[in-house]
C-alpha cells in the first residue's frame, strides 16, 4: 500500500488534500467522496489504521524514522497538510462564493456528485441482490439524514469532542458530509466558522508579535473549543478508520455499494433549489449567541425552468459532471 512518489506525484497529492479539505468544510459535500473519486481513499484508511499501539511504541522509543515509514507519514503529511491549509485558503474563497453565488455553487457540487456516482459505479461489476440491498440501505440513510432537523448550538467541551468524532466521518465515509452532520448537531458555525476564524486571527497576531491576544478570555475560549474539537477529530479518524479497514477487507463490495448509496442519498442535501426555514416563536425569529437566525430545516422546491437563473444553474450542474468525467478520462489515458 505504501508508495514511493516523485515530486510531481507529491504535489498532486497535496492538491488532492486541498480539494478534500475544501469539500469537508462545505455542508452537504463529503471529503470522503473526493478521496474516493481521486483514488486515494483506501490508502488513507490504511494509513490511519497504522496509527496504533505499535506506532506509539516506535514514537516514544525515539525511532522516528521507523514511525514515519510505518504510518505512511509522507502520504498523511501531504493529505492532511493540504486539508488543513485549505481551511485557511480555498475554504475562505468557497465561503465567499457560497454567500454571494449560493445557487451556482450548490449546482456545481450537485453536478460533481452526479458525476462521482457514475465514476465509482461504472466499474462496480457484480450487482447481485445483496449488493443492491446494500445500495438501497445507503441511499435511505443518506436521504434520511438530509431531512433531519438541526439542533441548537452547544459549546460544552465533552459535546464538542463528540462533534469532532462524528464530524470527521465526512472524511472517512464518502457521501456522509461531516459539515452537514455538524449543522444537525447545531455546532457548524461554532466549530468551522467562528473557531477557525479566531484561530487564524490569533496566529496572525502572534506572528506580528502581539501576545496580548492570549489574555483575551473570548479568544482563549475559542482556542479551547477548537483544540478539543481537533482532538475529537483525530480520535475519530483513527477509530473509524480501524472499523472501516476491517469491514472493507472482509465485505469490500457490500461496503462499496453502501458508499455509492450514501453518495446518491447525499444529493438530497445538496439539491441546489432550497431555502432555509428559521425557527420562530410567537411570530419572532429565534437567534443564536451570535445574533444569527437559527435554521430549523430547508425547504426544497422545483425551480422555474424558464428563468435565466435556473438555466445558468443547470449549466453549472453540467459543468460539475463534465469535471468528474474529465478526471475519469485523464485517469484512463494515464493508465
Amino acid at each position: 500500500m505504501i508508495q514511493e512518489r516523485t515530486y510531481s506525484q507529491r504535489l498532486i497529492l497535496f492538491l488532492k488534500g486541498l480539494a478534500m479539505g475544501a469539500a469537508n468544510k462545505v455542508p452537504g459535500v463529503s471529503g470522503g467522496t473526493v478521496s474516493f473519486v481521486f483514488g486515494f481513499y483506501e490508502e488513507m484508511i490504511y494509513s490511519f489504521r497504522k496509527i496504533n499501539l505499535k506506532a506509539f511504541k516506535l514514537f516514544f522509543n525515539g525511532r522516528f524514522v521507523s514511525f514515519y515509514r510505518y504510518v505512511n507519514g509522507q502520504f498523511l503529511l501531504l493529505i492532511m497538510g493540504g486539508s488543513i491549509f485549505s481551511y485557511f485558503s480555498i475554504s475562505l474563497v468557497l465561503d465567499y462564493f457560497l454567500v454571494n453565488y449560493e445557487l451556482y455553487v450548490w449546482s456545481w457540487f450537485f453536478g460533481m456528485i452526479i458525476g462521482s456516482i457514475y465514476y465509482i459505479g461504472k466499474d462496480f461489476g457484480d450487482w447481485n441482490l445483496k449488493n443492491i440491498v446494500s445500495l438501497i440501505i445507503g441511499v435511505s440513510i443518506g436521504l434520511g439524514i438530509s431531512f433531519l432537523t438541526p439542533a441548537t448550538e452547544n459549546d460544552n467541551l465533552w459535546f464538542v469532542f463528540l462533534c469532532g468524532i462524528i464530524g470527521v466521518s465526512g472524511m472517512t465515509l464518502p457521501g456522509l458530509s461531516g459539515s452537514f452532520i455538524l449543522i444537525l448537531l447545531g455546532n457548524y458555525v461554532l466549530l468551522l466558522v467562528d473557531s477557525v476564524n479566531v484561530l487564524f486571527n490569533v496566529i496572525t497576531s502572534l506572528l506580528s508579535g502581539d501576545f496580548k491576544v492570549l489574555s483575551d478570555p473570548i479568544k482563549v475560549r475559542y482556542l479551547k473549543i477548537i483544540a478539543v474539537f481537533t482532538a475529537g477529530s483525530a480520535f475519530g479518524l483513527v477509530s473509524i478508520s480501524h472499523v472501516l479497514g476491517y469491514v472493507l477487507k472482509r465485505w469490500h463490495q457490500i461496503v462499496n455499494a453502501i458508499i455509492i448509496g450514501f453518495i446518491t442519498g447525499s444529493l438530497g442535501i445538496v439539491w441546489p433549489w432550497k431555502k432555509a426555514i428559521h425557527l420562530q416563536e410567537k411570530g419572532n425569529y429565534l437567534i443564536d449567541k451570535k445574533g444569527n437566525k437559527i435554521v430549523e430545516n430547508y425547504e426544497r422546491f422545483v425551480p422555474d425552468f424558464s428563468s435565466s437563473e435556473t438555466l445558468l444553474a443547470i449549466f453549472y450542474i453540467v459543468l460539475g459532471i463534465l469535471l468528474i468525467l474529465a478526471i475519469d478520462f485523464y485517469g484512463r489515458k494515464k493508465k
Side-chain angles (χ1 to χ4, degrees):
M1 183 68 73
I2 296 175
Q3 305 175 29
E4 291 295 328
R5 289 182 166 90
T6 63
Y7 174 79
S8 60
Q9 288 173 328
R10 292 197 293 269
L11 177 61
I12 290 169
L13 194 58
F14 179 79
L15 294 175
K16 289 177 179 179
L18 284 178
M20 186 173 72
N24 277 325
K25 193 175 179 183
V26 178
V29 184
S30 167
T33 302
V34 172
S35 67
F36 209 90
V37 171
F38 283 168
F40 63 88
Y41 178 71
E42 290 197 24
E43 185 176 1
M44 182 177 72
I45 297 299
Y46 168 85
S47 302
F48 284 132
R49 283 188 73 199
K50 286 291 184 179
I51 302 175
N52 51 30
L53 187 60
K54 182 179 178 181
F56 285 118
K57 284 181 179 178
L58 290 171
F59 183 82
F60 288 113
N61 287 333
R63 299 174 60 187
F64 300 120
V65 175
S66 298
F67 167 80
Y68 181 79
R69 289 175 179 165
Y70 180 75
V71 300
N72 198 9
Q74 184 188 84
F75 172 84
L76 288 178
L77 282 176
L78 290 168
I79 285 296
M80 299 311 297
S83 296
I84 293 167
F85 182 76
S86 175
Y87 266 72
F88 302 103
S89 55
I90 293 176
S91 295
L92 299 178
V93 177
L94 267 177
D95 288 345
Y96 169 81
F97 281 103
L98 275 169
V99 170
N100 295 282
Y101 305 99
E102 184 179 19
L103 174 62
Y104 304 134
V105 173
W106 285 123
S107 299
W108 186 50
F109 281 129
F110 190 78
M112 284 198 296
I113 291 175
I114 292 174
S116 299
I117 294 165
Y118 164 76
Y119 181 87
I120 62 179
K122 62 183 170 54
D123 298 324
F124 186 86
D126 187 18
W127 282 110
N128 56 33
L129 180 61
K130 192 185 296 181
N131 292 333
I132 291 172
V133 170
S134 302
L135 175 75
I136 293 170
I137 290 171
V139 172
S140 302
I141 295 172
L143 282 173
I145 289 171
S146 68
F147 290 100
L148 291 175
T149 302
T152 55
E153 186 175 290
N154 184 344
D155 62 0
N156 178 279
L157 293 182
W158 283 109
F159 185 71
V160 168
F161 185 81
L162 180 65
C163 286
I165 296 173
I166 299 173
V168 81
S169 60
M171 188 180 292
T172 51
L173 286 170
L176 191 61
S177 167
S179 297
F180 188 74
I181 295 296
L182 290 179
I183 285 181
L184 296 177
L185 294 172
N187 273 3
Y188 174 78
V189 174
L190 174 69
L191 298 175
L192 292 189
V193 180
D194 293 342
S195 295
V196 170
N197 290 340
V198 168
L199 177 63
F200 181 69
N201 178 261
V202 169
I203 292 172
T204 305
S205 299
L206 291 176
L207 290 175
S208 64
D210 178 14
F211 294 95
K212 290 180 182 177
V213 71
L214 294 176
S215 61
D216 185 332
I218 295 176
K219 286 185 169 60
V220 170
R221 170 180 165 268
Y222 277 113
L223 290 177
K224 285 180 182 177
I225 286 170
I226 199 165
V228 171
F229 177 66
T230 303
S233 298
F235 179 80
L237 266 180
V238 175
S239 55
I240 294 172
S241 296
H242 276 78
V243 173
L244 280 172
Y246 177 84
V247 296
L248 272 170
K249 189 175 180 180
R250 284 156 181 77
W251 303 288
H252 192 270
Q253 277 204 325
I254 290 175
V255 174
N256 279 343
I258 292 173
I259 286 172
I260 294 170
F262 268 145
I263 296 173
T264 305
S266 73
L267 287 172
I269 301 172
V270 241
W271 177 253
W273 295 279
K274 58 179 179 282
K275 62 180 180 180
I277 301 172
H278 299 101
L279 273 175
Q280 293 188 53
E281 190 175 89
K282 298 179 181 179
N284 297 316
Y285 288 111
L286 298 180
I287 58 174
D288 59 21
K289 296 175 184 176
K290 312 296 181 303
N292 301 313
K293 294 177 183 177
I294 298 173
V295 176
E296 181 181 15
N297 216 318
Y298 293 93
E299 180 185 339
R300 296 161 181 85
F301 59 90
V302 178
D304 176 10
F305 288 100
S306 63
S307 163
S308 58
E309 185 183 59
T310 301
L311 295 176
L312 188 55
I314 292 171
F315 166 77
Y316 279 106
I317 291 174
V318 174
L319 196 65
I321 295 171
L322 291 176
L323 176 62
I324 301 300
L325 294 180
I327 292 170
D328 178 38
F329 175 77
Y330 173 76
R332 287 178 177 274
K333 190 177 179 182
K334 194 173 180 182
K335 286 180 182 178

